[in-house]
Amino acid sequence: MQKSVLTSFTIIGIIAISCCLQQEEIHSKEYWDELGYNLSHTGKYKEAIEAYDKVLEVDPNNAKEWYNKGYCLSKLGRYDEALKAYDKALELDPTNIKAWYNKGVTLLEIGKCEEAIEISDKLEETYSVGSELWNDIGACFGEQNKDEEALKAFNRALELNPENFKALRSKALSLQKLGRYEEALRAYEIFLKENPRDFVAWNNKCPILLMLGENEEALNACNKALEINSTNPDAWNNKGLVLFALGGYDEALEAYNKALEINPAHEDAWNNRNYIQPNFVITFTRELNETIEAMITIGKTRSDIDFDEFVRYMDSDKSRVDNLMIIGRDKVEINGDNVWLIKMKISEKEELRLIEAIFECKNKDVLTVTMGSPSSKYSRYNETFYHIIRSVRC
């Protein structure tokens, strides 16, 4: 009886092996190719790679399968392996446009913007693909704050395809970051004619108009952005800046509070709100019978500011603090404390709007004193502020 059982299992084992061998014969490379395709289109990239490898075992010079494998590897974030697969595909078929394009995209994923440019040059005959890759190259440079290079890439994308509106909006942002506000504004306006409901464009247009002193138009842009997306804290912060420039301090405060309601950790909204929410309002009368009305904010002592890092920032060539333009900065000693005096304004068209003193206290805490004026045309503004800070102690 036992022998019979063993014989039965042996026969079953032989049948199973035979079935498997028959399955290998049935599952041709066309079968594995189709299976890989279906798996990759359902997001099962690891399983798809296994299927494509089955094809490559019997047909190692199949350029299409090397490309498919590279695509799945890139989707899994295995970029070095993906690049090797794309290179093999292109070695076998240098005319594979998809392989060139996706190799370029993969290079951008690992920050190799310059290498991707070489591929874009190869794709320029295929305008739509070349334009898209140049746009991606611009985004790569933008992420690295190489705004001049980004701008060149976006311009090339638009030369190849003037209707690449994604590149147009990105070009506008690069111009904005470079301080070329008039050009940025024109680019946003062209973009918005075709995409009137684009939140990002309206929201970015708002501070540009503010920088150019077009405050009413800036407010309109902010409102347009908020019509599209009323839950974005950046849009509320931008609106607060515009309202402040228009002299609507209570309304600006409401806007900053709205931004902080949405995102309690919004640093710019906290800073901007502190500029217009004074601890006290004072009036000084000077010899020339000139009354200076100014809002003074004495900041709380801060121990979370690295003063040395702040000094390095001020020693750099940066021309902005948050959303304000720096028009003067001096380091002085007041009552034994090191103090940075920063003079700022909102736009080119305005005169002095705000002075801030940053005290490095002996206990290494930092104290800020800010004086913001409802009007920028006060000849004794500086004298008034210096009089105030001389009375401040850490």
Side-chain angles (χ1 to χ4, degrees), residues 18 29 33 70 113 173 203 206 214 253 267 283 326-327 367:
S18 176
K29 65 180 184 180
D33 174 64
C113 315
L173 179 58
N203 195 46
C206 171
E214 304 293 343
L253 186 59
E267 185 175 353
T283 299
I326 299 175
I327 58 174
L367 177 68

Side-chain angles (χ1 to χ4, degrees), residues 36 39-40 43-53 69 72-73 75-76 78:
L39 288 166
S40 67
K44 297 179 179 178
Y45 299 114
K46 183 179 179 182
E47 294 83 351
I49 290 169
E50 293 173 359
Y52 293 136
D53 279 339
K69 181 177 180 179
C72 292
L73 286 165
K75 286 293 186 180
L76 291 171
R78 294 159 61 178

Side-chain angles (χ1 to χ4, degrees), residues 244 270-282 294-300 302 321-322 324 339-344 353-359 367-373 381 384-386 388-389 392:
F244 177 75
W270 277 112
N271 291 336
N272 293 331
R273 190 180 78 162
N274 286 341
Y275 285 146
I276 64 169
Q277 191 175 30
N279 295 83
F280 55 95
V281 178
I282 61 175
M295 294 195 303
I296 309 297
T297 302
I298 304 294
K300 293 183 178 179
R302 298 277 300 279
V321 170
D322 297 325
L324 296 168
V339 183
W340 273 94
L341 301 176
I342 312 168
K343 301 173 185 178
M344 293 172 275
R353 167 67 71 173
L354 181 144
I355 306 180
E356 184 166 54
I358 313 293
F359 284 73
L367 177 68
T368 62
V369 181
T370 304
M371 178 173 172
S373 171
Y381 192 73
T384 304
F385 187 68
Y386 295 149
I388 295 166
I389 61 175
V392 173

Side-chain angles (χ1 to χ4, degrees), residues 151-313:
L151 182 58
K152 291 176 184 176
F154 294 133
N155 280 333
R156 191 68 190 123
L158 289 164
E159 286 173 16
L160 292 169
N161 179 11
E163 295 186 355
N164 186 338
F165 292 108
K166 184 166 63 173
L168 179 59
R169 191 182 73 178
S170 297
K171 174 184 175 177
L173 179 58
S174 291
L175 289 165
Q176 184 175 358
K177 290 169 69 178
L178 288 166
R180 294 161 62 176
Y181 299 123
E182 291 87 354
E183 295 172 78
L185 183 60
R186 285 195 294 271
Y188 280 127
E189 286 173 348
I190 294 169
F191 175 85
L192 285 166
K193 285 181 181 177
E194 299 294 330
N195 303 273
R197 295 287 298 169
D198 188 90
F199 166 78
V200 173
W202 282 113
N203 195 46
N204 289 349
K205 186 179 176 182
C206 171
I208 290 178
L209 288 164
L210 181 62
M211 300 299 175
L212 295 173
E214 304 293 343
N215 296 341
E216 292 291 347
E217 291 185 40
L219 183 59
N220 179 61
C222 288
N223 287 334
K224 287 279 189 182
L226 288 166
E227 283 176 16
I228 299 166
N229 182 358
S230 62
T231 61
N232 185 283
D234 292 334
W236 283 106
N237 180 65
N238 285 342
K239 184 172 181 177
L241 288 168
V242 176
L243 290 167
F244 177 75
L246 288 168
Y249 305 115
D250 291 339
E251 295 90 341
L253 186 59
E254 289 177 14
Y256 293 138
N257 285 338
K258 183 66 176 178
L260 292 168
E261 178 184 318
I262 297 167
N263 178 12
H266 198 289
E267 185 175 353
D268 285 345
W270 277 112
N271 291 336
N272 293 331
R273 190 180 78 162
N274 286 341
Y275 285 146
I276 64 169
Q277 191 175 30
N279 295 83
F280 55 95
V281 178
I282 61 175
T283 299
F284 287 98
T285 303
R286 311 300 292 177
E287 293 177 3
L288 299 177
N289 198 25
E290 179 182 26
T291 300
I292 298 180
E293 296 178 352
M295 294 195 303
I296 309 297
T297 302
I298 304 294
K300 293 183 178 179
T301 301
R302 298 277 300 279
S303 58
D304 59 332
I305 297 176
D306 184 332
F307 193 81
D308 292 333
E309 182 178 343
F310 173 79
V311 170
R312 283 194 296 273
Y313 180 89

